[in-house]
Amino acid sequence: AQKVTQAQTEISVVEKEDVTLDCVYETRDTTYYLFWYKQPPSGELVFLIRRNSFDEQNEISGRYSWNFQKSTSSFNFTITASQVVDSAVYFCALRGGSARQLTFGSGTQLTVLP
Amino acid sequence: KAGVTQTPRYLIKTRGQQVTLSCSPISGHRSVSWYQQTPGQGLQFLFEYFSETQRNKGNFPGRFSGRQFSNSRSEMNVSTLELGDSALYLCASSPPRAGGTDTQYFGPGTRLTVL
């Protein structure tokens, strides 16, 4: 069975603060894929990043960075210098190598206050 | 490229009715997946279609069904609606599998309310 845990239900920060969203996953597959999606109030899930299990290199994209650690089964997401437009629900998701569907975490509601 | 489109965006039905939701994938994408999102259960996988064949199915009752057409457009149908079917239904498409590139891109969703 696959499982994704996002322990932080809600996070509130003031603009320009850095914030880290946690994601812990469980899978028996040796090959798997991890994802982060952003869901603004409009409802659409916006793809942010995909990481393969065999690639533990961390990634930075502008103000976004991701820290993948297989040893702790974590795939955390950091927003540097947060902005009000970052306010949304963020989902971490897992797809095992043998599965076709995504298993989602429960999401973290991020509110960035001006 | 245009993104995934879903119609209608909002729908209100009453218990016992049936409903059909439509999804047009990104051009060139052949795989379409459907997910249900509710406040209580979160995002749950319904089914996936590829080349007009259901390739995978989640743990939902038989009232939930779907199909895919030769142009990769997909529909999902829910019969005998129940109050608990009120949800945001999201469709996602992904490109032909090549080298493991298989990211799912989501549409804006159809918000179904059952009264």
Side-chain angles (χ1 to χ4, degrees):
Chain A
Q2 300 182 41
K3 185 178 179 182
V4 177
T5 301
Q6 294 181 256
Q8 305 152 309
T9 305
E10 295 183 21
I11 298 176
S12 184
V13 299
V14 177
E15 205 170 19
K16 296 184 183 177
E17 287 185 358
D18 298 346
V19 58
T20 296
L21 309 182
D22 298 332
C23 173
V24 175
Y25 62 92
E26 296 176 29
T27 180
R28 293 193 185 125
D29 290 306
T30 53
T31 299
Y32 52 89
Y33 307 89
L34 295 161
F35 302 81
W36 276 95
Y37 287 88
K38 174 183 179 180
Q39 187 175 44
S42 61
E44 180 174 349
L45 281 171
V46 178
F47 166 72
L48 296 177
I49 190 171
R50 161 199 165 110
R51 175 61 66 213
N52 306 331
S53 57
F54 44 86
D55 180 6
E56 288 194 68
Q57 189 172 9
N58 292 326
E59 182 157 339
I60 298 175
S61 176
R63 297 184 298 107
Y64 296 170
S65 62
W66 291 269
N67 184 356
F68 176 33
Q69 292 196 339
K70 284 181 78 170
S71 61
T72 56
S73 297
S74 65
F75 185 43
N76 296 337
F77 172 31
T78 298
I79 302 175
T80 302
S82 60
Q83 300 176 0
V84 173
V85 294
D86 295 328
S87 296
V89 181
Y90 290 86
F91 289 95
C92 180
L94 165 70
R95 182 171 76 78
S98 59
R100 295 291 309 163
Q101 72 269 26
L102 292 170
T103 298
F104 284 89
S106 55
T108 297
Q109 170 73 61
L110 173 65
T111 302
V112 181
L113 302 169
Chain B
K1 274 188 182 178
V4 178
T5 58
Q6 292 186 246
T7 56
R9 291 293 311 279
Y10 301 92
L11 207 49
I12 299 176
K13 293 285 188 179
T14 56
R15 277 183 303 174
Q17 287 187 311
Q18 76 166 20
V19 67
T20 299
L21 312 181
S22 180
C23 171
S24 292
I26 293 170
S27 178
H29 288 193
R30 292 167 60 191
S31 170
V32 173
S33 297
W34 289 88
Y35 293 82
Q36 181 197 64
Q37 185 178 22
T38 60
Q41 300 299 317
L43 279 153
Q44 293 186 290
F45 171 75
L46 281 158
F47 28 65
E48 182 207 8
Y49 286 87
F50 179 81
S51 292
E52 303 178 63
T53 301
Q54 186 180 88
R55 189 156 61 172
N56 199 6
K57 189 177 192 303
N59 189 24
F60 278 81
R63 299 186 297 107
F64 291 82
S65 63
R67 59 178 176 168
Q68 187 180 34
F69 302 94
S70 58
N71 61 358
S72 295
R73 190 176 70 84
S74 176
E75 289 181 347
M76 68 163 281
N77 183 278
V78 187
S79 62
T80 320
L81 284 166
E82 300 176 1
L83 295 178
D85 297 333
S86 295
L88 179 66
Y89 289 89
L90 291 161
C91 167
S93 74
S94 53
R97 195 168 187 174
T101 303
D102 204 9
T103 297
Q104 293 185 8
Y105 297 90
F106 286 81
T110 294
R111 186 165 296 281
L112 171 65
T113 302
V114 182
L115 302 176

